[in-house]
């Protein structure tokens, strides 16, 4: 999951918690206010009932008239007046037991049972004591709470939707610099390690950009050092080897009929030539990677590159048998074009075909060319000795040779060199093999048109 999505979800979760807490507080305080307000209305009616029923007179009649004219009749409103016995005890006449006991003990009480509310107090008149109670239902209060519940619920859902989209917009713009940084990093490859990231401002992203720039500087230095060392070492070593080879050839011409000396000089010449080939391969291997400059790229037809590679292999191994299968070519020939350096691609394909011919001991090698989605695929299949399973993970390691290749000449540079070149062209190589059955290597290169 992307960090941008995570932030949106975290933002939504946090907002959900805050909204739930806020709605809970709103409902709770409205609930308390609603019930307290209704109890106050009951207490007012208790006082009026006391004045009207227990203290009749002119004032009581005025209260009664005011009550009839201005005071709303509550739903299910009922008045209870209970007179204490001569011993001062009250007898419950249908009131809830808890409410009656609380009122008798404290002289004033409020009680709620479901939607039935009770309010009462004990009033003294002369030597007599009276328990005055008013009860009523509060359907409008419940209706208000239900409506508030609906408003809070739908408001909660609507707010969550708004918060979600606000969170997406917020995270999108928050991570805009990160996306810009990522896009810039994707532009930097082994061909342009001299490029650097922009470092505007002094925030954490600028610090991260500076860290990446420092890393790129170290990488560029390491690549240049390695490439220069291999190039210079190969060049400097080839000069004395060329001199040695020339001197050996002169010595062979002067050796005459001395068989032992002739054999010794021939061995020196052979090993010198072998060392020269290794150095040439090493130099090519280095040059196929980072060289501080962008390669000279152009559009290249892969089918033409295959024919040129076959021609080169035939010159080195005249007895090789190579069959080309073009049965799966696309109708649009432009799909066979790839962007790259034609010389390097020629070298990579030639190395793979040459390996297949060499290790198949001139048995038939089949080359198939096809296009899959946006990739040009070259499948090279031989009927050779195959590669042991334990050696498969090392076949692209420079100078590694499989354990069953002792009878074949080679330096273990061909496949690593081919892999470097294919990767340089944003492609990949797949390989599968079985011992004594054969090996198939598939090269994937991005098509220009696709």
């Amino acid at each position: 999951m992307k960090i941008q999505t995570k932030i949106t979800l975290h933002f939504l979760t946090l907002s959900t918690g805050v909204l739930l807490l806020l709605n809970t507080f709103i409902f709770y305080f409205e609930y308390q206010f609603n019930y307290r307000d209704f109890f106050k209305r009951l207490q007012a009616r208790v006082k009026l009932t006391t004045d009207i029923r227990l203290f009749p007179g002119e004032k009581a009649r005025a209260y009664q008239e005011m009550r009839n004219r201005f005071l709303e009749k509550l739903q299910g409103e009922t008045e209870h007046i209970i007179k204490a016995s001569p011993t001062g005890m009250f007898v419950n006449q249908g009131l809830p037991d808890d409410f009656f006991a609380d009122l008798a003990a404290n002289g004033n009480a409020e009680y709620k049972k479901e939607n039935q509310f009770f309010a009462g107090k004990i009033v003294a008149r002369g030597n007599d004591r009276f328990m005055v109670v008013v009860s009523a239902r509060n359907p409008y209060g419940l209706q208000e709470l239900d409506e508030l519940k609906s408003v809070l619920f739908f408001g909660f859902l609507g707010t969550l939707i708004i918060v979600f989209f606000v969170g997406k917009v917020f995270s999108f713009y928050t991570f805009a610099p990160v996306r810009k940084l990522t896009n810039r990093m994707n532009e930097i490859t082994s061909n342009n390690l001299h490029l650097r990231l922009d470092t505007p401002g002094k925030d954490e992203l600028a610090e991260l950009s500076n860290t990446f720039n420092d890393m790129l500087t170290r990488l560029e230095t390491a690549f240049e050092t390695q490439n220069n060392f291999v190039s210079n070492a190969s060049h400097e070593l080839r000069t004395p080897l060329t001199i040695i080879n020339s001197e050996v050839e002169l010595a062979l011409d002067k050796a005459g009929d001395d068989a032992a000396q002739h054999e010794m000089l021939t061995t020196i010449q052979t090993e010198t030539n072998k060392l020269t080939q290794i150095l040439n391969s090493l130099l090519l291997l280095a040059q196929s990677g980072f060289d501080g400059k962008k390669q000279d790229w152009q559009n290249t037809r892969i089918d033409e590159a295959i024919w040129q590679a076959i021609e080169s292999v035939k010159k080195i191994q005249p007895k090789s048998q190579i069959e080309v299968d073009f049965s799966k070519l696309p109708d649009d020939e432009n799909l066979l074009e790839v962007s790259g350096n034609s010389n390097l691609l020629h070298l990579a394909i030639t190395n793979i075909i040459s390996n297949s011919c060499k290790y198949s001991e001139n048995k038939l090698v089949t080359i198939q060319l096809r296009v899959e989605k946006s990739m040009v695929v070259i499948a090279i299949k031989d009927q050779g000795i195959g590669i042991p399973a334990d050696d498969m993970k090392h076949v692209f390691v420079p100078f590694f040779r499989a354990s069953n290749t002792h009878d074949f000449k080679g330096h273990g540079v061909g496949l690593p060199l081919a892999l470097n070149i294919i990767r340089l062209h944003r492609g990949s190589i797949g390989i599968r093999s079985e011992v004594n059955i054969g090996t198939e290597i598939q090269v994937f290169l991005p098509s220009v048109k696709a």
Side-chain angles (χ1 to χ4, degrees), residues 22-34 140-156:
L22 179 63
N23 287 352
T24 301
F25 277 135
I26 292 174
F27 186 78
Y28 173 77
F29 287 118
E30 173 61 22
Y31 176 89
Q32 293 296 325
F33 172 79
N34 190 291
Y140 302 112
L142 285 180
Q143 184 178 353
E144 286 180 3
L145 290 176
D146 288 339
E147 290 176 356
L148 177 63
K149 239 189 252 184
S150 299
V151 169
L152 290 177
F153 177 74
F154 290 108
F156 174 74

Side-chain angles (χ1 to χ4, degrees), residues 95-104 109-111 118-121 133-134:
L95 298 175
D97 293 334
D98 293 340
F99 170 70
F100 181 81
D102 186 22
L103 181 58
E110 295 174 349
Y111 182 77
F118 297 85
K121 68 176 181 178
V133 176
V134 176

Side-chain angles (χ1 to χ4, degrees), residues 21 50 65 68 85 124 204 216 224 326 334 372 381 410 424:
L21 191 62
T50 301
E65 184 179 354
N68 293 336
S85 65
E204 290 81 357
L216 288 171
E224 286 180 345
F326 285 156
N334 292 326
E372 292 180 358
K381 186 175 183 180
L424 187 67

